[in-house]
């Protein structure tokens, strides 16, 4: 079975500087974190965006984020995965 993203909710995790969202592999819930550097896109290095801007960037990139998350999960099958800017290259 592959990971599916049935729940569109996501939230900003300030402690991890990432947006967290969940996928499901059968009955197992899989947690994913997208580091803010992956969401910052063309922002100047060191520039900070607001929480709302990170969530908006996540929403705009949702399809590609899910694709990258599926790929990462297929390699590790861990219940918690962190996606970095490198994963999106």
């Amino acid at each position: 079975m592959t990971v599916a993203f049935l729940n569109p909710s996501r939230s900003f995790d300030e402690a991890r500087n990432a947006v967290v969202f969940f996928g499901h592999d059968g009955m197992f819930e899989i947690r994913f974190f997208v580091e803010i550097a992956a969401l910052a896109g063309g922002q100047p290095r060191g520039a900070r965006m607001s929480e709302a801007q990170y969530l908006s960037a996540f929403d705009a990139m949702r399809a590609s984020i899910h694709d990258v998350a599926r790929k990462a999960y297929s390699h590790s099958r861990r219940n918690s995965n962190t996606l970095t800017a490198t994963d999106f290259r």
Side-chain angles (χ1 to χ4, degrees):
M1 196 171 253
T2 185
V3 66
F5 302 100
L6 307 173
N7 183 348
S9 67
R10 78 288 185 265
S11 60
F12 186 75
D13 184 329
E14 191 171 347
R16 291 189 68 148
N17 278 328
V19 172
V20 61
F21 66 103
F22 296 90
H24 292 86
D25 183 358
M27 63 183 216
F28 299 104
E29 185 173 76
I30 314 302
R31 186 178 355 188
F32 292 91
F33 296 92
V34 181
E35 291 182 345
I36 59 173
L39 299 170
Q43 295 292 318
R45 188 175 176 92
R48 299 274 308 169
M49 295 173 19
S50 70
E51 178 178 326
Q53 289 172 307
Y54 287 123
L55 294 175
S56 182
F58 178 94
D59 292 339
M61 297 173 59
R62 188 180 296 268
S64 63
I65 289 170
H66 286 175
D67 290 343
V68 170
R70 281 186 195 94
K71 183 177 178 181
Y73 180 71
S74 73
H75 293 295
S76 69
R77 306 207 56 93
R78 294 183 305 221
N79 65 355
S80 181
N81 299 272
T82 300
L83 308 177
T84 67
T86 303
D87 294 315
F88 292 87
R89 294 186 183 145

